[in-house]
Amino acid sequence: MNRKKPGSRHIVLTSHPGSAGAKPLPILWGAATAADRGPVIGTVTTPGHRNVIGAHSGSYGIYRALAVAAGRLDPEHVPDLTNTAPVEPIGPHPQWSDPDRIVSLDPWGHRTSEAFAELIARGRDIRPTIAVTRAQIFMPELKAAMDEGRLRSDNQVLLPNGNARVTKVAIEPVWHLPGIARRFAIDETDLRRDLFEFTGGMYPELVTRPDLEVFLPPIGGMTVYVFGEPSRVGDARHPLACRVHDECNGSDVFGSDICTCRPYLVHGIELCIEMAQAGGAGVIVYNRKEGRALGEVTKFLVYNARKRQEGGDRADQYFKRTECIAGVQDMRFQELMPDVLNWLGIRRIDRLASMSDMKHGALARGGIEVVERVPIPDALIPADARVEMDAKVAAGYYAPGAVPAAGELARPKGRGLDE
């Protein structure tokens, strides 16, 4: 079926190969160079050029479609990528040419305008899936740490006003379906069918186009914050601190004290700043996986169920209440978590701000050595987070001894966690 939009070419709605003209450029996942690997082309206006399933922008792709439907965006608009190149030259690293080491992002996604300039000039709509820029971040806790003497300004990584200088990386998900299937030890056909069926048939090409191996899923991506010189990340001569953090809007942004998310995030940033000032580097990975990737609605429903049950909120019922509502305890799938660290060239983390066995195990399987696991200081654990901490210990989330006993907890003061 064709439909005509004012001022646009015909848009062909089809899932069948060969029906839209030219054969798409191949993608050789894990190739040693961008040219050999080939570009990721998710155009929706020139079907013959498409070599992936889905569309760019991750979870924001629906807004783009709405903007087109509302007449506010020309469906044939192609980005002008002038002066958008990365501010720091990340990679290539050896892990980029291992097809099983990175399966959930495009290692060459930040080099689009450079690596595929000729193809872009010839009219191929090739878009970046990674952007690298510089920024300053500020969290009141960092200034408090300076006032308390735990951090000091070096006027490089940490400024006198409490701002921290970072290199910031935004990453959209790009899945290599055969690699994803191998990572989870499942059949690729089953993976494709379930992705199709349990999204309400959103992407027919998952089951009609087995020749297309790359999928742009409509999910949240991640942001990476690098403290210190990015060139030191992945360089074994320089020590590395790291915190891999999964989104918790209520705590991270609004300071809810029912969990340790914001305190642990700030603690991880402190470790990263200290390591960068000592000649190493620090990396914070912030994943858009709200509520253990169950979503915020499910998360709040679970809060209500936990607090209203007979006997009140209890650690022994914590995950049971989650499973009753969501059907599963956790959908963050740490199996994919090491990909971004491998993209950065990391093989060793000297100080990991996490005691999670789930994360540690995923890193080990991803070929990344962890030298030291750093727990959150007892004083930073809000008293109202006791139930969650005890439940996670019982469920095997944490290494033995990672969390203090209930009587050892003290509600932190002066950190804005209780308001």
Side-chain angles (χ1 to χ4, degrees):
M1 180 177 74
N2 296 336
R3 65 173 172 151
K4 183 74 172 175
K5 279 188 172 291
S8 74
R9 72 188 72 175
H10 284 284
I11 297 178
V12 182
L13 303 180
T14 179
S15 299
H16 303 290
S19 63
K23 184 177 181 180
L25 296 171
I27 296 176
L28 181 60
W29 198 265
T33 67
D36 291 337
R37 203 291 306 276
V40 169
I41 305 178
T43 177
V44 293
T45 56
T46 311
H49 290 175
R50 286 172 57 80
N51 61 4
V52 300
I53 301 164
H56 285 293
S57 302
S59 59
Y60 295 98
I62 299 298
Y63 285 106
R64 182 174 185 272
L66 179 59
V68 172
R72 299 180 186 179
L73 174 63
D74 181 349
E76 295 192 25
H77 172 75
V78 176
D80 178 353
L81 298 176
T82 303
N83 294 329
T84 63
V87 298
E88 293 288 347
I90 296 175
H93 296 291
Q95 293 97 314
W96 294 16
S97 57
D98 183 337
D100 288 319
R101 192 65 70 191
I102 299 175
V103 300
S104 61
L105 60 90
D106 175 9
W108 303 97
H110 58 313
R111 297 192 170 194
T112 296
S113 56
E114 166 196 348
F116 304 113
E118 183 179 346
L119 286 170
I120 293 172
R122 285 161 44 192
R124 300 278 179 163
D125 184 6
I126 306 170
R127 305 190 180 201
T129 57
I130 300 176
V132 184
T133 190
R134 293 191 187 96
Q136 292 186 20
I137 63 171
F138 175 78
M139 301 181 78
E141 293 92 336
L142 297 181
K143 189 63 170 66
M146 295 172 66
D147 294 340
E148 295 166 11
R150 294 197 311 277
L151 289 178
R152 58 176 178 80
S153 169
D154 60 349
N155 214 31
Q156 295 296 322
V157 179
L158 185 62
L159 303 179
N161 63 0
N163 285 13
R165 287 192 172 121
V166 296
T167 299
K168 188 161 61 172
V169 185
I171 302 175
E172 293 177 3
V174 178
W175 285 9
H176 182 238
L177 293 173
I180 294 281
R182 288 192 296 270
R183 183 75 61 88
F184 284 87
I186 56 180
D187 183 80
E188 184 188 343
T189 299
D190 292 339
L191 171 66
R192 286 173 174 265
R193 185 179 64 248
D194 288 343
L195 288 173
F196 168 70
E197 289 184 0
F198 294 99
T199 57
M202 187 180 292
Y203 294 100
E205 289 173 316
L206 285 166
V207 292
T208 63
R209 294 293 304 268
D211 57 310
L212 299 182
E213 296 186 337
V214 175
F215 176 41
L216 306 181
I219 60 175
M222 69 188 77
T223 310
V224 179
Y225 297 84
V226 178
F227 297 79
E229 293 297 327
S231 61
R232 295 176 181 173
V233 176
D235 185 337
R237 296 171 297 179
H238 299 282
L240 179 73
C242 180
R243 165 75 181 164
V244 178
H245 190 89
D246 296 318
E247 179 182 31
C248 179
N249 185 63
S251 179
D252 297 341
V253 178
F254 294 103
S256 169
D257 65 352
I258 199 171
C259 62
T260 60
C261 294
R262 182 180 174 99
Y264 223 143
L265 176 60
V266 174
H267 176 57
I269 291 174
E270 285 194 30
L271 293 181
C272 287
I273 290 173
E274 290 172 352
M275 190 67 84
Q277 290 178 332
V283 169
I284 298 289
V285 178
Y286 195 88
N287 292 300
R288 296 312 191 284
K289 295 179 180 178
E290 179 67 58
R292 298 196 298 279
L294 302 172
E296 202 163 39
V297 169
T298 295
K299 184 178 183 179
F300 289 5
L301 294 174
V302 171
Y303 284 166
N304 287 346
R306 283 170 48 192
K307 294 174 182 178
R308 290 171 176 167
Q309 65 189 340
E310 184 177 353
D313 197 5
R314 307 196 311 272
D316 65 334
Q317 294 293 308
Y318 178 88
F319 282 114
K320 183 177 180 180
R321 299 312 305 150
T322 301
E323 288 187 89
C324 286
I325 295 169
V328 66
Q329 292 183 5
D330 194 321
M331 292 197 306
R332 286 176 292 177
F333 297 123
Q334 302 294 355
E335 290 90 340
L336 301 177
M337 177 265 289
D339 287 23
V340 64
L341 302 178
N342 276 306
W343 175 71
L344 290 165
I346 295 171
R347 295 186 182 276
R348 187 191 73 224
I349 297 172
D350 295 273
R351 306 198 77 198
L352 176 67
S354 172
M355 296 303 291
S356 166
D357 280 348
M358 296 174 68
K359 291 180 180 178
H360 182 268
L363 290 169
R365 292 188 295 273
I368 299 171
E369 176 192 3
V370 175
V371 177
E372 179 188 4
R373 300 160 73 177
V374 184
I376 185 171
D378 298 354
L380 298 186
I381 301 177
D384 286 346
R386 179 75 257 169
V387 170
E388 179 176 354
M389 299 294 277
D390 287 347
K392 288 184 175 180
V393 170
Y397 269 61
Y398 297 123
V403 180
E408 300 172 11
L409 286 177
R411 186 182 296 272
K413 299 182 184 299
R415 287 190 164 268
L417 298 173
D418 302 331
E419 286 80 2

mmCIF file of all heavy atoms in Angstrom, residues 26 31 45 53 71 110 133 161 196 222 230 273 297 311 347 354 359 407-408:
data_model
loop_
_atom_site.group_PDB
_atom_site.id
_atom_site.type_symbol
_atom_site.label_atom_id
_atom_site.label_comp_id
_atom_site.label_asym_id
_atom_site.label_seq_id
_atom_site.Cartn_x
_atom_site.Cartn_y
_atom_site.Cartn_z
ATOM 1 N N PRO A 26 25.076 -4.089 2.874
ATOM 2 C CA PRO A 26 25.174 -5.109 3.915
ATOM 3 C C PRO A 26 25.829 -4.568 5.195
ATOM 4 O O PRO A 26 26.568 -3.592 5.163
ATOM 5 C CB PRO A 26 26.059 -6.183 3.275
ATOM 6 C CG PRO A 26 26.902 -5.423 2.288
ATOM 7 C CD PRO A 26 26.016 -4.321 1.769
ATOM 8 N N ALA A 31 33.136 -6.346 12.015
ATOM 9 C CA ALA A 31 34.233 -6.065 11.100
ATOM 10 C C ALA A 31 35.209 -5.082 11.738
ATOM 11 O O ALA A 31 34.840 -4.289 12.613
ATOM 12 C CB ALA A 31 33.702 -5.508 9.785
ATOM 13 N N THR A 45 11.917 6.679 4.647
ATOM 14 C CA THR A 45 11.382 7.302 3.430
ATOM 15 C C THR A 45 11.966 6.703 2.155
ATOM 16 O O THR A 45 11.437 6.950 1.076
ATOM 17 C CB THR A 45 11.650 8.823 3.437
ATOM 18 O OG1 THR A 45 13.052 9.058 3.585
ATOM 19 C CG2 THR A 45 10.901 9.495 4.579
ATOM 20 N N ILE A 53 15.952 -3.150 10.937
ATOM 21 C CA ILE A 53 14.550 -3.171 11.336
ATOM 22 C C ILE A 53 14.341 -2.055 12.351
ATOM 23 O O ILE A 53 15.190 -1.818 13.207
ATOM 24 C CB ILE A 53 14.198 -4.531 11.964
ATOM 25 C CG1 ILE A 53 14.470 -5.661 10.970
ATOM 26 C CG2 ILE A 53 12.749 -4.565 12.436
ATOM 27 C CD1 ILE A 53 14.530 -7.035 11.600
ATOM 28 N N GLY A 71 2.142 17.429 10.955
ATOM 29 C CA GLY A 71 2.586 18.393 9.959
ATOM 30 C C GLY A 71 3.686 19.314 10.424
ATOM 31 O O GLY A 71 3.948 20.341 9.797
ATOM 32 N N HIS A 110 29.229 6.842 16.561
ATOM 33 C CA HIS A 110 29.609 8.244 16.743
ATOM 34 C C HIS A 110 30.465 8.754 15.599
ATOM 35 O O HIS A 110 30.809 9.939 15.566
ATOM 36 C CB HIS A 110 30.360 8.410 18.066
ATOM 37 C CG HIS A 110 31.599 7.560 18.186
ATOM 38 N ND1 HIS A 110 31.623 6.221 17.875
ATOM 39 C CD2 HIS A 110 32.867 7.867 18.597
ATOM 40 C CE1 HIS A 110 32.840 5.740 18.085
ATOM 41 N NE2 HIS A 110 33.605 6.711 18.505
ATOM 42 N N THR A 133 30.087 14.774 23.670
ATOM 43 C CA THR A 133 30.238 16.203 23.903
ATOM 44 C C THR A 133 30.912 16.434 25.253
ATOM 45 O O THR A 133 31.223 15.499 25.971
ATOM 46 C CB THR A 133 28.871 16.915 23.834
ATOM 47 O OG1 THR A 133 29.050 18.319 23.828
ATOM 48 C CG2 THR A 133 27.982 16.525 25.003
ATOM 49 N N ASN A 161 33.490 25.817 42.578
ATOM 50 C CA ASN A 161 32.051 25.991 42.854
ATOM 51 C C ASN A 161 31.307 24.666 42.990
ATOM 52 O O ASN A 161 30.088 24.651 43.177
ATOM 53 C CB ASN A 161 31.405 26.847 41.767
ATOM 54 C CG ASN A 161 31.470 26.196 40.384
ATOM 55 O OD1 ASN A 161 31.997 25.094 40.218
ATOM 56 N ND2 ASN A 161 30.939 26.893 39.383
ATOM 57 N N PHE A 196 8.356 -9.766 18.112
ATOM 58 C CA PHE A 196 7.231 -9.367 17.264
ATOM 59 C C PHE A 196 5.901 -9.530 17.992
ATOM 60 O O PHE A 196 5.098 -8.597 18.087
ATOM 61 C CB PHE A 196 7.241 -10.207 15.979
ATOM 62 C CG PHE A 196 5.997 -10.096 15.160
ATOM 63 C CD1 PHE A 196 5.697 -8.923 14.485
ATOM 64 C CD2 PHE A 196 5.115 -11.167 15.062
ATOM 65 C CE1 PHE A 196 4.538 -8.808 13.724
ATOM 66 C CE2 PHE A 196 3.958 -11.071 14.298
ATOM 67 C CZ PHE A 196 3.667 -9.891 13.634
ATOM 68 N N MET A 222 21.283 5.108 26.925
ATOM 69 C CA MET A 222 22.100 5.357 28.105
ATOM 70 C C MET A 222 22.939 6.605 27.893
ATOM 71 O O MET A 222 23.128 7.070 26.766
ATOM 72 C CB MET A 222 23.009 4.162 28.396
ATOM 73 C CG MET A 222 24.113 3.952 27.366
ATOM 74 S SD MET A 222 25.018 2.416 27.596
ATOM 75 C CE MET A 222 23.838 1.241 26.917
ATOM 76 N N PRO A 230 39.502 11.196 28.702
ATOM 77 C CA PRO A 230 38.902 10.002 28.103
ATOM 78 C C PRO A 230 39.940 9.023 27.562
ATOM 79 O O PRO A 230 39.680 7.817 27.534
ATOM 80 C CB PRO A 230 38.038 10.581 26.970
ATOM 81 C CG PRO A 230 37.698 11.961 27.426
ATOM 82 C CD PRO A 230 38.926 12.447 28.148
ATOM 83 N N ILE A 273 35.608 11.039 40.627
ATOM 84 C CA ILE A 273 36.358 12.284 40.727
ATOM 85 C C ILE A 273 37.697 12.028 41.411
ATOM 86 O O ILE A 273 38.759 12.492 40.943
ATOM 87 C CB ILE A 273 35.544 13.342 41.492
ATOM 88 C CG1 ILE A 273 34.360 13.799 40.641
ATOM 89 C CG2 ILE A 273 36.422 14.536 41.876
ATOM 90 C CD1 ILE A 273 33.393 14.718 41.370
ATOM 91 N N VAL A 297 5.124 3.035 36.366
ATOM 92 C CA VAL A 297 3.766 2.689 36.791
ATOM 93 C C VAL A 297 3.795 1.404 37.616
ATOM 94 O O VAL A 297 3.237 1.332 38.727
ATOM 95 C CB VAL A 297 2.828 2.542 35.575
ATOM 96 C CG1 VAL A 297 1.500 1.921 35.999
ATOM 97 C CG2 VAL A 297 2.581 3.897 34.925
ATOM 98 N N GLY A 311 0.670 -6.592 57.892
ATOM 99 C CA GLY A 311 1.994 -6.590 58.505
ATOM 100 C C GLY A 311 2.896 -5.499 57.982
ATOM 101 O O GLY A 311 4.026 -5.346 58.451
ATOM 102 N N ARG A 347 38.937 -3.145 30.058
ATOM 103 C CA ARG A 347 39.175 -4.550 30.376
ATOM 104 C C ARG A 347 39.304 -4.770 31.878
ATOM 105 O O ARG A 347 39.242 -5.907 32.349
ATOM 106 C CB ARG A 347 40.439 -5.059 29.677
ATOM 107 C CG ARG A 347 40.342 -5.067 28.157
ATOM 108 C CD ARG A 347 41.566 -5.712 27.545
ATOM 109 N NE ARG A 347 41.526 -5.704 26.092
ATOM 110 C CZ ARG A 347 40.907 -6.609 25.338
ATOM 111 N NH1 ARG A 347 40.242 -7.593 25.933
ATOM 112 N NH2 ARG A 347 40.937 -6.552 24.025
ATOM 113 N N SER A 354 29.707 -0.718 43.398
ATOM 114 C CA SER A 354 28.564 -1.622 43.411
ATOM 115 C C SER A 354 28.958 -2.893 44.143
ATOM 116 O O SER A 354 30.086 -3.364 43.997
ATOM 117 C CB SER A 354 28.130 -1.973 41.987
ATOM 118 O OG SER A 354 27.145 -2.989 42.001
ATOM 119 N N LYS A 359 25.578 -7.579 38.692
ATOM 120 C CA LYS A 359 26.428 -6.751 37.843
ATOM 121 C C LYS A 359 27.836 -7.320 37.750
ATOM 122 O O LYS A 359 28.441 -7.360 36.674
ATOM 123 C CB LYS A 359 26.459 -5.319 38.384
ATOM 124 C CG LYS A 359 25.144 -4.576 38.236
ATOM 125 C CD LYS A 359 25.215 -3.161 38.791
ATOM 126 C CE LYS A 359 23.884 -2.443 38.640
ATOM 127 N NZ LYS A 359 23.915 -1.076 39.206
ATOM 128 N N GLY A 407 20.459 -2.771 62.617
ATOM 129 C CA GLY A 407 20.801 -1.942 63.756
ATOM 130 C C GLY A 407 21.948 -1.002 63.511
ATOM 131 O O GLY A 407 22.174 -0.060 64.280
ATOM 132 N N GLU A 408 22.700 -1.235 62.442
ATOM 133 C CA GLU A 408 23.848 -0.395 62.145
ATOM 134 C C GLU A 408 23.484 0.800 61.289
ATOM 135 O O GLU A 408 24.324 1.661 61.032
ATOM 136 C CB GLU A 408 24.925 -1.218 61.419
ATOM 137 C CG GLU A 408 25.422 -2.405 62.242
ATOM 138 C CD GLU A 408 26.340 -3.297 61.423
ATOM 139 O OE1 GLU A 408 26.740 -2.880 60.312
ATOM 140 O OE2 GLU A 408 26.657 -4.400 61.879
#
